[in-house]
Amino acid sequence: MRIGVLTGGSDCPGLNAALRAIVRKGVQEHGDTFTGFLDGWAGVLDDRTVPLDIPAVRGTLPRGGTILGSSRTDPLAGTGGAGRVKAALAAHELDALIVLGGVNTLTAAARLVDEEGLPCVGVPKTIDNDIQGTDYTIGFDTAVTVATETIDRLHTTAESHKRVLVVEVMGRCSGWIAIHAGLAGGANCVLIPERPFDLDRVCEYVESRFRASYAPIVVVSDSAVPAKGEVDLKGLSGVGEWLGREIERRTGHEARTTVLGHIQRGGTPTPNDRWLATRFGLHAVDAVHDGDWGAMVALHGTDIVRVPLREAVSGTRTVDAARYAENEIFFG
Ligand code: F6P
């Protein structure tokens, strides 16, 4: 078969491992040929491609980012987008398109399958882990590892100076990175977007941790918000800096903020992300050869299964109350 591949949305570690597995399996088992579209859906609309063969993916297993480049382009945002996608597939005589993306990139793929009958298969990737239908997405484990290592390091300097250390992590509309890294790193409290926080309560946790003679680490998702009042971010980089400033003002304890930002998305993928990405890649090729258009490969337990793309993108997967409660046991 002739298969197109693209990586869309924000990049994450593990994308190259998935591309390598797709190409290795397709070429070695089926004699497939691959066309890589550059910069996500933008490369499909503009017909910018590179050949993807085994030499092109050699040595890429541990490399972060994506050798294809990425963008947040929505091919269906303007008029005529679907026609341009069809034209690109026809120009390269492609039988299928494997789309590696987050919710927005995969939403376009789901629509192109349902509305235009295009032969797309999806692979879920994002450090945020916010895609429905799969236990984990490519990139999440690396982001959690980076955040946890950061918390480990901050514990020692926080204790030397008897300071509050606030760590702002990514996650967009979901607190998965925060609750996983917070639990693994022994955070004093974890604040997530799904659950507006009570600043008085956060300050109580901080005081209580100092009374127990530990210095507190507060983990906050970049889009967490307080339950009462506005966050004034004027002159600040984000909610983490605001929170550090407010904790210091209210408790009198010195506070410092670390904003992890894109460090969570860069660099080499963890072994677990390489494992997941490789297995997703292998199973995506199976889905293509089965003609299972509109399927997304997903992790259920330790099994790779297929779920309908349209269901996976029907909303965002967020942290539920029971999962958050597991973290709360360790607050204060
Ligand atoms: O979706 C991944 C993510 O890293 C989010 O966690 C974060 O909010 C956003 O992308 C950052 O986007 P950008 O790279 O455009 O700044």
Side-chain angles (χ1 to χ4, degrees), residues 15-40:
L15 285 170
N16 291 325
L19 295 175
R20 168 182 170 272
I22 288 167
V23 172
R24 288 284 297 271
K25 171 139 183 169
V27 172
Q28 290 174 204
E29 281 204 2
H30 302 286
D32 295 331
T33 56
F34 291 89
T35 299
F37 286 100
L38 295 172
D39 304 331

Side-chain angles (χ1 to χ4, degrees), residues 10 72 126-128 170-172 222 262 265:
S10 38
R72 290 216 168 94
T126 163
I127 64 163
D128 302 335
M170 281 183 166
R172 200 146 42 181
D222 55 2
H262 293 80
R265 265 178 37 196

Side-chain angles (χ1 to χ4, degrees), residues 67-208:
I67 57 171
L68 293 181
S70 194
S71 74
R72 290 216 168 94
T73 300
D74 176 357
L76 303 176
T79 47
R84 285 165 72 186
V85 173
K86 278 186 193 165
L89 265 56
H92 297 277
E93 298 174 44
L94 298 178
D95 305 303
L97 181 63
I98 300 179
V99 179
L100 294 83
V103 172
N104 293 333
T105 301
L106 295 177
T107 296
R111 286 187 58 195
L112 287 165
V113 174
D114 290 346
E115 297 167 21
E116 307 292 336
L118 293 190
C120 301
V121 163
V123 176
K125 66 87 233 171
T126 163
I127 64 163
D128 302 335
N129 203 38
D130 61 355
I131 301 179
Q132 299 197 57
T134 184
D135 292 349
Y136 292 107
T137 55
I138 299 171
F140 174 65
D141 186 66
T142 307
V144 169
T145 300
V146 170
T148 303
E149 282 172 8
T150 303
I151 296 169
D152 289 347
R153 287 174 185 279
L154 292 177
H155 273 298
T156 61
T157 177
E159 282 166 22
S160 302
H161 291 272
K162 315 285 184 291
R163 280 174 176 157
V164 183
L165 262 289
V166 175
V167 194
E168 183 186 297
V169 299
M170 281 183 166
R172 200 146 42 181
C173 305
S174 71
W176 292 108
I177 297 174
I179 66 157
H180 277 242
L183 202 62
N188 184 224
C189 76
V190 179
L191 309 174
I192 61 174
E194 292 88 340
R195 190 151 167 149
F197 61 87
D198 177 345
L199 191 51
D200 293 332
R201 175 80 65 85
V202 174
C203 291
E204 281 165 23
Y205 291 144
V206 163
E207 300 282 20
S208 131

Side-chain angles (χ1 to χ4, degrees), residues 9 17 21 43 55 75 82 90 104 107 127 154 160 175 209 219 224-225 232 311 331:
N104 293 333
T107 296
I127 64 163
L154 292 177
S160 302
R209 183 60 69 105
V219 175
V225 287
D232 179 8
E311 285 175 23
F331 289 4

Side-chain angles (χ1 to χ4, degrees), residues 9 37 47 77 82 110 144 147 190 255 272 287 306 310 324:
F37 286 100
D47 195 11
V144 169
V190 179
N272 202 56
R306 295 179 203 161
R310 86 176 71 81
Y324 189 70

